[in-house]
Amino acid sequence: MKHHASDAHTLAAAYALNALDPSERKDFDAHLQDCEACRQEVAEFQATAARLSAAVAREPSAASKPAIMAAIDGVRQLPPRVATTAPATTLGAAVRRRAVPLALAATVAAAASLGGLAVWQRQHSDDLQQRAEQAEQRLDDASLVLAAPDAQTVHGRTTNGALTTVVASEQLNKAVFTASGLPAPAAGKTYQLWLDHDGSMHPAGFITGDGTVQLSGSPADAHAIGLSLEPVGGSPQPTTKPLLLMALPS
């Protein structure tokens, strides 16, 4: 999809849903630097998309996992491609003779490993299911805040150019943080969130990239939310200059 420069204001929804191609996204990123209206519209579209996703999300049926595992076991593996440019000589015959016991040995080894592979597949499937359930729970928690009748919103921008939105509910005593355009952190670093209580910074969770997370801890009596780059695993107190220090909605 191609648009003229005069159509830039119409791309906020596509941008929020990651529906722009790389060149269009780059152009729209530049447009957002100078357009406050589009920055707010993008943040609102992202919050709405999170609500809609939660509304239509469904738990997979109990029969899904057995069906997937049965399909995996029935997939035939392709043999490796082997170059056959050498002529059929005495050496080739010798190689073929040696290939027979090698193939038998490989078959025995493969049979011995199938049990371990099946166990790994089950464990991997369980791990994926657990992650999916955790992600769904996080989305449900965030959606409750976004849909709260007293939800209030504030927008900001980090010093490295990311657009941010905080939605807070006093009734639920919860707040949700959304980031868009957040650069990937350097190796060994992570983005850590903070709640500022009268100048004392309290850890409030992590965000790994663009997305929406519910802040951990209570935003009650907090005056601002902060974001900083910290070592992987986090810090008890900020160790770098904040990339963002934004007043919470009130």
Side-chain angles (χ1 to χ4, degrees):
M1 48 191 275
K2 296 296 182 182
H3 295 260
H4 298 293
S6 60
D7 298 327
H9 298 285
T10 67
L11 298 178
Y15 179 90
L17 297 175
N18 294 316
L20 299 180
D21 63 37
S23 62
E24 288 174 326
R25 187 173 184 87
K26 182 178 179 181
D27 291 342
F28 195 73
D29 278 330
H31 171 74
L32 286 177
Q33 301 293 326
D34 303 315
C35 185
E36 174 64 28
C38 281
R39 290 199 296 270
Q40 180 171 349
E41 191 171 7
V42 165
E44 291 171 352
F45 273 125
Q46 289 174 330
T48 300
R51 292 185 182 183
L52 293 175
S53 298
V56 300
R58 294 184 179 180
E59 184 176 352
S61 65
S64 296
K65 180 179 176 181
I68 293 173
M69 296 305 300
I72 291 174
D73 291 338
V75 174
R76 181 178 180 180
Q77 303 300 312
L78 294 176
R81 295 184 178 181
V82 180
T84 57
T85 56
T89 61
T90 304
L91 176 60
V95 170
R96 286 195 296 272
R97 285 196 300 272
R98 292 188 61 188
V100 173
L102 287 175
L104 290 174
T107 301
V108 173
S113 66
L114 281 178
L117 177 60
V119 170
W120 177 86
Q121 288 176 335
R122 286 194 295 272
Q123 292 174 341
H124 186 59
S125 177
D126 291 343
D127 182 56
L128 290 177
Q129 182 176 357
Q130 182 178 10
R131 292 185 185 183
E133 291 172 351
Q134 291 172 346
E136 184 177 359
Q137 183 60 54
R138 289 193 296 268
L139 182 58
D140 288 343
D141 293 341
S143 297
L144 288 175
V145 179
L146 296 173
D150 68 330
Q152 297 189 57
T153 304
V154 65
H155 305 287
R157 180 185 289 275
T158 65
T159 58
N160 58 0
L163 302 173
T164 63
T165 299
V166 175
V167 180
S169 166
E170 184 176 356
Q171 291 180 2
L172 298 177
N173 192 26
K174 298 290 183 181
V176 168
F177 180 87
T178 297
S180 175
L182 198 60
K189 296 289 186 179
T190 188
Y191 289 106
Q192 187 167 359
L193 293 159
W194 307 90
L195 285 170
D196 180 4
H197 292 268
D198 294 324
S200 177
M201 303 300 283
H202 296 250
F206 303 91
I207 186 165
T208 57
D210 291 351
T212 299
V213 296
Q214 180 177 300
L215 274 65
S216 60
S218 169
D221 301 324
H223 302 293
I225 181 173
L227 179 71
S228 65
L229 271 174
E230 301 296 332
V232 171
S235 305
Q237 288 292 312
T239 62
T240 61
K241 184 177 180 180
L243 300 169
L244 173 77
L245 191 60
M246 181 173 65
L248 283 167
S250 58

